[in-house]
Amino acid sequence: MNQSIVVITGASSGIGHSCAEVFAETGAQLVLWARRGDKLQHIATQLQEQYAVAVLCQTVDVRDSAAVRQAVADLPESHRSPDILINNAGLSRGLNTLQDGVEQDWEEMIDTNVKGLLYVTRSFLPGMIQKGSGLVVNISSIAARQAYRGGNVYSATKAATKMISDSLQIDLNGTGVRVCNIDPGLVETEFSEVRFRGDAVRAANVYKGYQPLTGRDVAECALFAATRPPHVSIQDILITPMAQATATIVQKDV
Ligand code: NDP
Ligand code: 8X3
C-alpha cells in the first residue's frame, strides 16, 4: 500500500481511526474526513510522527453534498482519484421502536449513512474509473442482515448501504474498480455513546461480559480486501466477536 492514496470518512474515532492507523502502517497517503477537525488533526499529527506518512485532514459533514463536492475539489488532483475510498462515516440514534420513533433521528441516520455515502462515492468514483483501478469499502453492519428491536431505521440504512455495494458491483463491472462491503457485529467504539446521546453507562453496558471487536479488527478486513491481487474481489465480509452468533444472540458472562 506504500504511497497509495486512501480516503477515509469518519476518521475521527472508532473504525475510521483504526483504518487510518492500519493503512498508515503500510505507508499509504491518507485523506481523513470528519466533522471534528481537532480530533482529525490530533490523529494526523500522531500518524505523521509515527509512520512518516502524508496526511490531509478535511473537516466535512458528509450530509452536505455541496461541502463534499468542495472538499474533493480542494484536494490536489492526484488525491481526487484515490486508490481506496473507505465509506465509514455513520451513526445510530436511539433504540426506539418505530411507533415511538423520532423523525429527527431518522433523518440524521438516513442523511448520514445513506445520502452521505452516496454523495462521497459519487464525488470520487469518476476519477477512480478514469484511472481504471481502486477499491471502495462500504462499512455496513450485521444490522443490515438481521432486524432487532429498536434497530428499525438504523438497520434500514445499513441494508441500503449493502444494496448500494451490490449495485456498485454491477455498475463498476469492467471498470477495474473493486467494491468490498463489510458487515461488522459489535465493535467497541464511540458508536453506542452516540446512539445513547452521551449516556456512557448505558453505552459501556453494550460491551460488557464478552470481548467485543476492536476498530482494528474491522480495519484489517479492509486492508485484506485492499491487498488482494488485481484479479481477486472480496465482495462481502461479515465479522463478529466470537461471542456473537447473530445480531441479538451474544454469549455474555454477566
Ligand atoms: P464512532 O462513533 O466511533 O465513529 C463514527 C465516525 O463517523 C466518527 O469519526 C464521526 O466523526 C463520523 N461521522 C458521523 N457523522 C458524520 C457526518 N455527518 N459527517 C462526517 N463524519 C461523520 O463509531 P464506529 O467507528 O463504530 O462507526 C463507524 C461505522 O461503522 C458507522 O458507519 C457504523 O454504523 C458502523 N458500524 C459500527 C458498529 C459498531 O458496533 N460500532 C458495527 C457495525 C457497523 P465526527 O463526529 O467527528 O463527524
Ligand atoms: C452496529 C452494531 O448491533 O448495534 O451496526 O447494530 S448493532
Side-chain angles (χ1 to χ4, degrees), residues 11-219:
S12 62
S13 76
I15 295 168
H17 179 188
S18 294
C19 286
E21 280 176 346
V22 161
F23 281 92
E25 285 165 21
T26 71
Q29 304 180 60
L30 303 178
V31 178
L32 307 183
W33 283 17
R35 291 165 301 176
R36 290 172 294 177
D38 53 336
K39 287 219 167 210
L40 282 186
Q41 201 47 61
H42 180 72
I43 289 166
T45 305
Q46 225 172 10
L47 295 177
Q48 280 158 340
E49 281 173 7
Q50 201 168 352
Y51 302 107
V53 289
V55 186
L56 291 175
C57 295
Q58 293 181 299
T59 305
V60 188
D61 186 331
V62 296
R63 293 172 297 179
D64 182 342
S65 60
V68 167
R69 280 195 298 276
Q70 189 59 53
V72 177
D74 289 344
L75 286 170
E77 201 182 338
S78 55
H79 288 56
R80 286 180 222 143
S81 46
D83 299 289
I84 301 165
L85 166 62
I86 304 182
N87 279 315
N88 164 76
L91 82 178
S92 178
R93 288 295 196 190
L95 255 185
N96 296 350
T97 56
L98 200 75
Q99 56 272 32
D100 289 327
V102 179
E103 280 184 18
Q104 197 186 331
D105 290 347
W106 298 349
E107 274 153 21
E108 196 176 357
M109 289 187 275
I110 293 166
D111 288 350
T112 309
N113 302 357
V114 183
K115 291 166 72 179
L117 181 143
L118 288 171
Y119 299 149
V120 175
T121 309
R122 177 70 179 84
S123 299
F124 282 111
L125 266 185
M128 296 171 78
I129 292 168
Q130 200 176 18
K131 211 161 77 171
S133 65
L135 168 69
V136 178
V137 177
N138 288 335
I139 305 295
S140 177
S141 170
I142 194 171
R145 302 183 183 220
Q146 293 150 357
Y148 56 87
R149 191 174 178 82
N152 43 67
V153 174
Y154 177 70
S155 280
T157 65
K158 291 302 178 174
T161 302
K162 163 66 174 148
M163 202 43 71
I164 292 166
S165 298
D166 287 358
S167 300
L168 280 174
Q169 303 289 2
I170 299 164
D171 292 350
L172 294 175
N173 187 238
T175 65
V177 180
R178 302 189 278 200
V179 181
C180 177
N181 187 83
I182 303 180
D183 289 343
L186 290 152
V187 191
E188 188 165 14
T189 62
E190 292 178 15
F191 178 86
S192 291
E193 274 202 60
V194 172
R195 167 171 261 175
F196 301 129
R197 294 192 181 276
D199 184 338
V201 175
R202 192 173 176 197
N205 269 334
V206 175
Y207 309 109
K208 269 201 186 135
Y210 68 101
Q211 188 172 349
L213 295 174
T214 63
R216 193 177 181 92
D217 294 323
V218 180

